[in-house]
Amino acid sequence: MTIAELKSELSKYHAVLVEGPGASDTREAADVAKHVCRQLRAHWDQDPPPGTKLVVSQGDSPGPRGVAGILRIVGQEFGCTRCLVCVDESIDPTHAPNADRAGVALELRYNQMCKILEEMGVLSQLERGVDDKIAKDNRALMAQQKPILGPHVRQFALLQEVTKVALGHVCTGVTIAHSDSHLDQFKVSSFYEVGLTQHLIKSSSYVAYAETTS
């Protein structure tokens, strides 16, 4: 599929992503997903998204907890088409084979997303933003006498941010729901700050988890 064909295909969808803890999440996915769905419904009641909803996963392995489990439920709740974006095999040969493909109708690669950002002229900018956050986080970790972030953090932070910016550009829009009210600053999910700070993703595209008090 050429980039022009890909952009045409994606133009009919509104992308929906979930960011938060992965397999390390100890909460039941069904409970978290119920709350995420409630937040999404309230968000869309205020600002209905145009286009068919496309739930996008980014290579999370199948599992009963974490983002993979939550995405399955969100997709079922809203009757969404499912899309999978993985890093290219030349970068990590294990990422795509281990990804959750349940119900996936469209599978893409990181390099395809990068080409969209290259056309936009913002790929280098986003990469610098990710590198700057890694440097900042590593300084904080060293000050705490903790190990610095591994190289996988950069690759998957880029996968996360590049995918969102690309889909936000070519789809009818993008909605990103957080699955926790606190995202660890040293985890990949915290890199949402990069696209937001660079104004490549609108703050109105984000849906907070917002813990309930009742």
Side-chain angles (χ1 to χ4, degrees), residues 18-22 25 67 177-180 183 189:
V18 175
E19 292 177 344
D25 197 342
V67 169
H178 284 169
S179 64
D180 203 338
L183 299 181
S189 56

Side-chain angles (χ1 to χ4, degrees), residues 4-126:
E5 290 170 339
L6 176 60
K7 290 165 67 175
S8 176
E9 173 66 18
L10 290 171
S11 67
K12 60 189 178 186
Y13 292 110
H14 179 92
V16 182
L17 298 94
V18 175
E19 292 177 344
S24 63
D25 197 342
T26 58
R27 302 168 299 167
E28 291 294 332
D31 295 335
V32 178
K34 181 179 179 181
H35 186 69
V36 168
C37 289
R38 184 162 55 242
Q39 295 295 95
L40 283 169
R41 192 171 285 108
H43 178 76
W44 288 330
D45 282 347
Q46 295 295 317
D47 186 16
T52 301
K53 296 182 183 70
L54 181 74
V55 166
V56 182
S57 59
Q58 295 171 302
D60 294 274
S61 299
R65 293 185 172 86
V67 169
I70 294 165
L71 276 171
R72 283 196 185 195
I73 297 170
V74 170
Q76 292 166 0
E77 177 69 18
F78 294 104
C80 304
T81 301
R82 290 201 60 181
C83 173
L84 170 66
V85 184
C86 293
V87 298
D88 299 77
E89 285 75 3
S90 59
I91 298 171
D92 182 350
T94 68
H95 191 235
N98 292 325
D100 183 5
R101 284 182 171 75
V104 168
L106 181 62
E107 184 166 343
L108 307 173
R109 289 292 180 267
Y110 170 69
N111 187 53
Q112 293 173 295
M113 302 291 99
C114 285
K115 287 180 179 177
I116 293 172
L117 264 67
E118 287 173 348
E119 288 186 358
M120 295 169 63
V122 299
L123 180 58
S124 295
Q125 170 188 331
L126 192 60

Side-chain angles (χ1 to χ4, degrees), residues 114 117-118 120-133 154 158 161-162 165 191 193-201:
C114 285
L117 264 67
E118 287 173 348
M120 295 169 63
V122 299
L123 180 58
S124 295
Q125 170 188 331
L126 192 60
E127 289 174 336
R128 286 194 300 271
V130 167
D131 288 339
D132 288 346
K133 184 178 183 322
R154 182 180 191 273
L158 282 171
E161 294 306 289
V162 166
V165 174
F191 281 77
E193 300 169 356
V194 177
L196 195 57
T197 301
Q198 294 187 350
H199 305 291
L200 295 174
I201 301 172

Side-chain angles (χ1 to χ4, degrees), residues 124-165:
S124 295
Q125 170 188 331
L126 192 60
E127 289 174 336
R128 286 194 300 271
V130 167
D131 288 339
D132 288 346
K133 184 178 183 322
I134 289 174
K136 178 182 176 182
D137 289 349
N138 281 341
R139 288 194 295 270
L141 287 167
M142 287 187 288
Q144 298 172 39
Q145 298 185 326
K146 293 181 179 180
I148 62 173
L149 301 176
H152 70 282
V153 172
R154 182 180 191 273
Q155 183 54 67
F156 291 107
L158 282 171
L159 173 65
Q160 174 182 283
E161 294 306 289
V162 166
T163 297
K164 290 186 300 185
V165 174

